[in-house]
Amino acid sequence: MEKTYQPSEIEQNWYNTWEQAGYFKPSGEGDSYSIMIPPPNVTGSLHMGHGFNNTVMDTLIRYHRMKGHNTLWQPGTDHAGIATQMVVERQLAAEGVTRHDLGREKFLDKVWEWKEQSGGTITRQIRRLGSSVDWSRERFTMDPGLSNAVQEVFVQLYDEGLIYRGKRLVNWDPKLHTAISDLEVLSEEESGSMWHFRYPLEDGSGHLVVATTRPETMLGDTAVAVHPDDERYAALVGKNIRLPITNRLIPIIADDYVDKEFGTGCVKITPAHDFNDYEVGKRHNLSLINVLDRDAQILPEFTVLTFEGYETQHGEKAPEAYAGLERFEARKKIVNALDELGLLDKIEPHSLKVPRGDRSGVVIEPWLTDQWYVKTAPLAKEAIRAVEDGDIQFVPKQYENMYFSWMRDIQDWCISRQLWWGHRIPAWYDQNGNVYVGRTEDEVRSKYNLDADADIRQDDDVLDTWFSSALWTFSTLGWPEQTNELKTFHSTDVLVTGFDIIFFWVARMIMMTMHFIKDENGKPQVPFKTVYVHGLVRDAQGQKMSKSKGNVLDPLDIIDGIDLDTLLEKRTTGMMQPQMAKKIGKQTKDEFPEGIAAYGTDALRFTFCSLASTGRDIKFDMGRVEGYRNFCNKIWNAARYVLMNTENQDCGQQGGDYQLSLADRWIVSRLQQTELQVAKAIDTFRLDLAAQALYDFVKNEYCDWYLELSKPVLWDDNASAETLRGTRRTLVRVLETILRLAHPMMPYITEEIWQRVAPLAGKSGETIMTQAYPIADENKIDHAADGDIEWLKGVIVGVRNIRGEMNISPAKPIPLMLKDGSAEDQRRLGQNETFLKSLAKLESITWLGSDEAPMAATQLVGDMEVLVPMAGLIDKDAEIARLSKEVEKVSKECHRLQGKLSNEKFVSKAPADVVEKEKAKLAEVQASFDKLNEQLEKIKAI
RNA sequence: AGGACUAUAGCUCAGUUGGUUAGAGCGCUACCUUGACAUGGUAGAGGUCGGCAGUUCGAAUCUGCCUAGUCCUACCA
């Protein structure tokens, strides 16, 4: 074996070996356990969130696979409608072509081409993380099977009246030319202005002042509203306003939507361009005047509609000066025009939430269009119940509140998108605009008895990407066919995801799944029993990682390493805002002056695990990766030591009597306790605690103590064959168990070492992946051995402390005396003399009983004094200083306990066992104090 | 505006139903090339657990208020 751990060498081949051998596939035996991967964007690439998310899932999957479950981890990718279409359109734009130049079919060919070309990137990257997904079942949301499921769901929901088409105000993205759902709109506080305009009364008797943040929409005003109780305007309600510029007459209405206190208490109402105004308009049966086109430019001719059936009543010519103007251009002109008319009252600075499209970044326009909707309220009912009843549990639990509050106030879901890349809506229209929904054109014709030559056309729009991902848990298993997989692996066990997509995805999956998938009793099936919500991976400063901030880390760069120049280039090419490049360059140089070292997959995975505590965000700390890389090295070298001492030697594989030393019994005992801790932690999704328990055991017990304790046995020329066999056996078996225990978190290093260690531990098998996960044998927990080793450690640490503080070379053997020990201490000494001498580097050990001792540096182990004679070794003043420090510490503790125990209330009210414990502690501390103090006085007196 | 979460060592984080001398890693200090490991070892320094009040014999832990930060939801034209 190499002297140091070299991840790149050992991670090369294992993944292919595992995949080709079919170890990632369900075994077909045992209880099922399944997880569906949250499908990443097919043309995307890996980021830290994926790394984290995959590590958590793979750890759970490997754990359950080793526990003997019939384990499926279902992989796949998402077509990501808007994102993917945008990328391809951008590519075309570089050639000066638009999708409309190509036409729908040719454009889709291009997208498929791009998907084929870049589609493998992220799945290759997922492999590098060691994710043991069943690639033979890989799915894509636009596969024929999944598209079929989408169609089936759409048609059924439509037939049940749960999908409808209607003209509504939608969030319109004027850049992408599509409607988007509420969730895809991000509102940020921005500073803008509030314009106050004077709207003259029709009768010329004065004016009302309205305040607005959107002057350009005044062209579509159809009323001015005041509060019904507002005495200032009560007399005006029912009168008309002569709307400036268009000179249209509009009524003054009363509606309690208006806040009397805000602004002037008068609100202009534009039902076709504002969600609130739309509601007001509906209540008062105002007409809707649409003044914008799909680019959010002023229409040359406005469309005027009414709420009844939204039939277009007539057109209205736009004032010539504004026709065709972009909305913000129009805003300026209108403000100017009103100013010139003397109708601009004032302009105030005003901060407001500006809605922007999450993809395009442009301001979203409420716009009146025909769209398809899912009626969500009936679906939400069952979805809420499932969580209320605990059929689905959120971890951590507080996310249930977030889920409930959204679900109980859920709005209908706009599912149509004016894109080409996606599932085309299975609806057809005839010449008269009648709608026919069916799986195919043929089905539609027969279902609705249409003439064979009737001219019908399929809807041009596609479905929201989340519509197909909402079906993910069952569409990937073959639904609507009643497949075996569906029966075996649905409901899935756990969904591992970030909180950011609880509404986008989790909630919708629950609604859709429970509506379509029923168990044999007809009861709705949940898509997953547990939702494990983890935090976001942020950079070292706690900032969200984003391309535009230039602080993105690629998990593969931590695995493989990257030099500074390449990292800089990666962070600064293809930027939306090239002017940021300089700043990002400096940031990057400051943070990674040497680039990033290659830490390997296992170290990265272990870091993710150790940071995966209760749903809080992760500030990614490279120092921890380095620490855990070193931990890998520790395991590696421990294995080297074990192999050096066991390979080609008798470890008891062939039988033969063996004798376990105290250290052997102790490490086996501690191993069982660790196994209990790790299993409990994984079962409760506390991978951080699992990682910590493992780390503590391997480093602080197995390596720091047990390996050292094995040396005196293995190097003892007089040791019996049984004793040697016992220690070799324990060395190798504990190591082998550690490897299995750690494998779900660190698959590569454990497999690599296991291959060599397993035969020595009497294990056989092709791979560690399918070995049984360690289960604690509580009979092997040996508290007597635990106590004995604690004593031994106490003595050794005591001596080391004296050495360290007194500057005695660790190479120098020193004499040791033990004084005032009990019979128990004497027994322990008798059994551990060899261990003691070796680990504390002692020249001799003298048992003094209560005899007079020479002047010495003192440590206490219980009541027993551990003495290192001062003669020739120790400076008097140094020992006085050391002891004084110790005495002060003990004295403080003594006072604390005395105070507590002299408190009458504590003694009478606290539980008896707590009081007893404190009393015992005091006695012990008191004795320590006396002894140390006495010793201190003695030395001072010299 | 409503709600959630977070605040513990210089940094990143643990701390289970209230009872420990409040822990780990990194960093820091001193010593050490000892036959697994310098991607190392040994010893050590470092914390009034955000603040104030309360409940309790006892609070990092429970309650209230305050401060700072993060996020979600709904928003006033």
Side-chain angles (χ1 to χ4, degrees):
Chain A
M1 282 172 92
E2 290 279 340
K3 199 173 166 186
T4 52
Y5 162 65
Q6 302 294 342
S8 59
E9 286 175 26
I10 65 176
E11 288 172 10
Q12 288 277 313
N13 300 313
W14 278 117
Y15 195 89
N16 282 339
T17 308
W18 290 331
E19 188 180 346
Q20 276 160 23
Y23 299 146
F24 299 162
K25 294 181 184 176
S27 64
E29 284 162 22
D31 295 341
S32 68
Y33 183 86
S34 57
I35 297 179
M36 303 289 165
I37 207 168
N41 179 346
V42 66
T43 60
S45 71
L46 204 66
H47 61 240
M48 292 296 276
H50 292 122
F52 180 34
N53 185 259
N54 269 263
T55 298
V56 171
M57 285 186 283
D58 195 43
T59 299
L60 294 172
I61 283 286
R62 285 179 185 268
Y63 171 71
H64 284 277
R65 189 184 289 123
M66 289 176 79
K67 281 181 65 165
H69 289 132
N70 185 22
T71 304
L72 170 65
W73 187 7
Q74 169 71 49
T77 49
D78 189 272
H79 66 280
I82 294 184
T84 307
Q85 175 161 331
M86 273 176 75
V87 171
V88 177
E89 283 192 276
R90 214 177 301 142
Q91 288 170 355
L92 289 176
E95 302 162 25
V97 182
T98 71
R99 68 172 148 132
H100 300 283
D101 297 336
L102 288 181
R104 185 169 190 134
E105 232 167 277
K106 284 220 172 101
F107 176 74
L108 286 179
D109 288 345
K110 284 269 180 210
V111 184
W112 279 106
E113 230 172 75
W114 166 243
K115 185 248 171 195
E116 294 312 324
Q117 175 198 326
S118 77
T121 305
I122 194 152
T123 55
R124 276 194 300 276
Q125 291 174 318
I126 288 172
R127 284 178 161 88
R128 286 300 312 280
L129 292 171
S131 300
S132 59
V133 297
D134 182 359
W135 291 109
S136 70
R137 298 193 47 80
E138 186 182 356
R139 297 289 185 270
F140 173 54
T141 46
M142 282 178 50
D143 282 347
L146 276 69
S147 301
N148 190 29
V150 166
Q151 228 172 47
E152 192 62 34
V153 163
F154 187 96
V155 173
Q156 282 194 36
L157 285 177
Y158 179 80
D159 289 345
E160 293 170 55
L162 290 171
I163 279 183
Y164 63 89
R165 182 178 151 87
K167 198 185 279 291
R168 298 282 184 286
L169 271 193
V170 294
N171 301 298
W172 182 260
D173 188 316
K175 183 176 173 196
L176 301 175
H177 295 150
T178 180
I180 56 179
S181 76
D182 299 346
L183 292 175
E184 290 159 281
V185 179
L186 301 176
S187 291
E188 291 287 348
E189 194 88 19
E190 291 180 24
S191 52
S193 303
M194 176 91 84
W195 288 270
H196 293 249
F197 296 139
R198 284 188 276 266
Y199 275 17
L201 293 165
E202 177 192 15
D203 57 16
S205 64
H207 58 259
L208 286 180
V209 177
V210 300
T212 180
T213 54
R214 302 222 39 206
E216 67 279 13
T217 64
M218 63 89 64
L219 298 174
D221 285 358
T222 53
V224 168
V226 298
H227 194 276
D229 301 336
D230 196 331
E231 288 159 14
R232 292 173 294 178
Y233 308 115
L236 299 174
V237 173
K239 294 192 167 181
N240 286 326
I241 291 283
R242 176 68 69 185
L243 187 63
I245 299 181
T246 64
N247 291 322
R248 190 184 326 120
L249 275 183
I250 59 174
I252 298 168
I253 59 172
D255 193 290
D256 53 19
Y257 154 70
V258 180
D259 178 355
K260 281 193 289 187
E261 313 303 324
F262 190 87
T264 57
C266 301
V267 187
K268 67 192 251 329
I269 300 297
T270 324
H273 294 290
D274 181 280
F275 290 101
N276 288 309
D277 293 4
Y278 179 88
E279 293 303 323
V280 174
K282 209 167 172 181
R283 284 197 286 276
H284 295 268
N285 203 21
L286 302 174
S287 50
L288 303 121
I289 302 182
N290 177 34
V291 305
L292 295 173
D293 68 10
R294 59 179 211 146
D295 291 305
Q297 297 171 353
I298 305 292
L299 280 166
E301 186 175 334
F302 304 157
T303 331
V304 181
L305 307 91
T306 63
F307 278 94
E308 285 156 23
Y310 298 95
E311 293 294 315
T312 303
Q313 298 299 297
H314 55 271
E316 181 182 307
K317 277 254 182 308
E320 215 160 298
Y322 307 102
L325 283 186
E326 189 274 333
R327 54 187 162 168
F328 299 114
E329 203 49 42
R331 175 179 298 179
K332 273 186 218 157
K333 281 208 160 179
I334 284 172
V335 171
N336 284 341
L338 282 160
D339 194 13
E340 279 164 25
L341 289 169
L343 298 175
L344 177 60
D345 189 54
K346 59 177 169 179
I347 306 175
E348 289 178 324
H350 180 70
S351 74
L352 70 164
K353 292 265 183 158
V354 178
R356 291 181 181 275
D358 62 353
R359 292 287 166 188
S360 65
V362 302
V363 178
I364 291 304
E365 198 59 58
W367 204 47
L368 204 56
T369 51
D370 284 303
Q371 302 290 343
W372 290 92
Y373 294 86
V374 172
K375 207 182 272 181
T376 41
L379 298 171
K381 220 176 131 191
E382 191 65 26
I384 290 169
R385 190 205 55 74
V387 176
E388 279 173 345
D389 291 358
D391 295 345
I392 297 173
Q393 292 187 324
F394 280 73
V395 177
K397 205 167 176 54
Q398 71 254 21
Y399 285 103
E400 289 179 5
N401 291 329
M402 188 168 151
Y403 172 83
F404 285 137
S405 66
W406 190 69
M407 284 300 253
R408 286 178 180 143
D409 188 32
I410 194 169
Q411 305 296 307
D412 282 357
W413 173 17
C414 174
I415 51 171
S416 43
R417 297 288 180 275
Q418 287 64 51
L419 306 173
W420 289 348
W421 178 241
H423 299 99
R424 197 161 171 183
I425 291 172
W428 281 259
Y429 305 94
D430 65 16
Q431 300 297 57
N432 302 320
N434 294 311
V435 183
Y436 307 104
V437 169
R439 291 158 189 82
T440 60
E441 184 171 335
D442 286 346
E443 182 185 295
V444 161
R445 284 182 191 278
S446 66
K447 185 171 164 187
Y448 294 96
N449 292 319
L450 301 179
D451 292 339
D453 56 351
D455 187 12
I456 60 173
R457 251 187 91 246
Q458 186 170 2
D459 196 314
D460 281 326
D461 294 348
V462 300
L463 289 164
D464 182 4
T465 303
W466 297 101
F467 190 90
S468 54
S469 21
L471 321 180
W472 188 245
T473 62
F474 56 94
S475 64
T476 51
L477 294 174
W479 189 89
E481 302 301 319
Q482 292 302 314
T483 61
N484 268 330
E485 288 91 335
L486 195 59
K487 214 189 294 169
T488 308
F489 296 111
H490 204 279
S491 306
T492 68
D493 287 86
V494 52
L495 179 76
V496 180
T497 186
F499 67 91
D500 48 328
I501 53 174
I502 287 183
F503 304 142
F504 276 108
W505 193 41
V506 180
R508 287 163 178 173
M509 251 198 293
I510 298 174
M511 289 192 284
M512 288 296 202
T513 308
M514 296 192 74
H515 189 74
F516 284 97
I517 310 295
K518 314 279 167 166
D519 66 15
E520 55 274 22
N521 305 316
K523 193 188 165 208
Q525 257 191 34
V526 295
F528 28 72
K529 295 158 202 153
T530 303
V531 183
Y532 172 68
V533 183
H534 62 243
L536 231 58
V537 184
R538 298 170 175 276
D539 76 1
Q541 280 72 43
Q543 298 281 318
K544 221 168 176 167
M545 290 192 188
S546 74
K547 179 86 188 158
S548 61
K549 283 194 202 128
N551 59 351
V552 173
L553 281 174
D554 180 341
L556 294 191
D557 291 340
I558 298 172
I559 293 172
D560 296 330
I562 186 168
D563 62 72
L564 180 61
D565 289 342
T566 315
L567 180 62
L568 279 173
E569 197 187 322
K570 243 176 129 164
R571 285 186 164 188
T572 51
T573 47
M575 298 184 59
M576 297 282 199
Q577 301 152 286
Q579 71 275 16
M580 294 284 290
K582 209 170 168 190
K583 195 177 156 207
I584 290 169
K586 186 182 176 326
Q587 256 175 19
T588 305
K589 275 182 206 160
D590 287 349
E591 197 178 351
F592 305 107
E594 316 284 327
I596 300 173
Y599 295 109
T601 300
D602 289 326
L604 178 64
R605 287 176 57 128
F606 202 78
T607 306
F608 281 134
C609 287
S610 73
L611 292 171
S613 66
T614 51
R616 64 191 267 172
D617 284 355
I618 289 180
K619 259 195 228 177
F620 197 79
D621 178 10
M622 209 54 87
R624 290 193 68 154
V625 189
E626 191 175 343
Y628 293 125
R629 190 271 317 263
N630 296 351
F631 176 55
C632 290
N633 186 56
K634 196 81 190 166
I635 296 176
W636 184 257
N637 276 290
R640 280 183 67 215
Y641 168 78
V642 171
L643 288 168
M644 277 176 196
N645 287 288
T646 53
E647 262 179 329
N648 306 316
Q649 312 229 36
D650 180 1
C651 311
Q653 324 75 309
Q654 268 84 46
D657 287 345
Y658 59 88
Q659 175 80 41
L660 295 185
S661 72
L662 168 63
D664 294 335
R665 282 181 283 123
W666 166 73
I667 198 67
V668 169
S669 167
R670 293 293 310 139
L671 175 63
Q672 311 310 312
Q673 296 168 54
T674 306
E675 287 169 12
L676 287 174
Q677 279 182 57
V678 171
K680 186 185 164 200
I682 298 180
D683 288 337
T684 52
F685 301 100
R686 289 301 302 269
L687 299 188
D688 59 326
L689 298 182
Q692 203 186 12
L694 191 74
Y695 185 97
D696 277 349
F697 177 74
V698 172
K699 179 126 191 272
N700 302 331
E701 303 197 284
Y702 185 73
C703 291
D704 286 356
W705 288 101
Y706 180 69
L707 295 190
E708 295 306 319
L709 289 168
S710 74
K711 288 173 185 174
V713 177
L714 297 177
W715 298 347
D716 179 0
D717 295 334
N718 302 319
S720 69
E722 287 79 11
T723 310
L724 286 171
R725 203 178 281 134
T727 290
R728 290 201 188 104
R729 179 188 154 94
T730 308
L731 264 180
V732 84
R733 287 184 180 235
V734 173
L735 176 60
E736 192 273 339
T737 311
I738 287 171
L739 296 173
R740 282 183 286 128
L741 206 56
H743 180 258
M745 290 185 260
M746 321 170 102
Y748 291 110
I749 188 173
T750 51
E751 176 74 292
E752 178 77 15
I753 298 173
W754 189 84
Q755 293 292 329
R756 289 182 66 177
V757 165
L760 299 167
K763 296 270 175 183
S764 59
E766 296 288 309
T767 174
I768 192 175
M769 274 191 64
T770 53
Q771 296 294 309
Y773 200 73
I775 296 173
D777 178 352
E778 299 195 35
N779 291 322
K780 289 186 178 163
I781 295 178
D782 184 341
H783 292 297
D786 292 355
D788 286 355
I789 294 288
E790 281 315 305
W791 178 91
L792 182 67
K793 282 159 89 170
V795 177
I796 294 169
V797 169
V799 175
R800 283 178 183 167
N801 177 269
I802 292 171
R803 269 187 198 277
E805 299 276 297
M806 296 299 130
N807 263 326
I808 301 171
S809 157
K812 185 177 175 59
I814 53 175
L816 180 72
M817 293 173 194
L818 301 175
K819 181 165 176 276
D820 282 356
S822 63
E824 176 83 337
D825 291 325
Q826 198 162 13
R827 176 186 68 75
R828 282 169 162 162
L829 171 63
Q831 286 178 0
N832 292 302
E833 205 164 336
T834 335
F835 287 145
L836 260 182
K837 275 190 173 161
S838 160
L839 270 68
K841 190 98 182 171
L842 301 177
E843 141 198 299
S844 64
I845 304 177
T846 314
W847 179 261
L848 288 181
S850 55
D851 307 344
E852 193 55 30
M855 290 319 283
T858 311
Q859 278 283 333
L860 291 176
V861 174
D863 284 342
M864 183 177 72
E865 292 180 32
V866 173
L867 304 174
V868 175
M870 291 172 73
L873 283 173
I874 295 168
D875 175 65
K876 178 186 157 190
D877 291 335
E879 176 61 6
I880 290 175
R882 195 186 68 90
L883 270 182
S884 304
K885 202 173 70 181
E886 199 61 27
V887 167
E888 196 191 341
K889 215 162 104 185
V890 174
S891 142
K892 243 190 199 164
E893 178 65 4
C894 213
H895 280 112
R896 197 183 64 85
L897 288 165
Q898 275 168 346
K900 205 168 181 181
L901 283 162
S902 61
N903 180 349
E904 170 53 28
K905 285 178 178 169
F906 171 70
V907 179
S908 60
K909 292 201 177 175
D913 60 319
V914 172
V915 177
E916 277 314 304
K917 219 168 107 189
E918 295 297 298
K919 277 186 180 163
K921 225 188 283 171
L922 177 60
E924 198 179 313
V925 171
Q926 184 79 56
S928 301
F929 177 77
D930 291 346
K931 286 197 170 173
L932 291 171
N933 212 30
E934 190 189 333
Q935 183 69 14
L936 182 59
E937 293 308 320
K938 245 197 278 180
I939 293 178
K940 274 184 180 167
I942 300 175

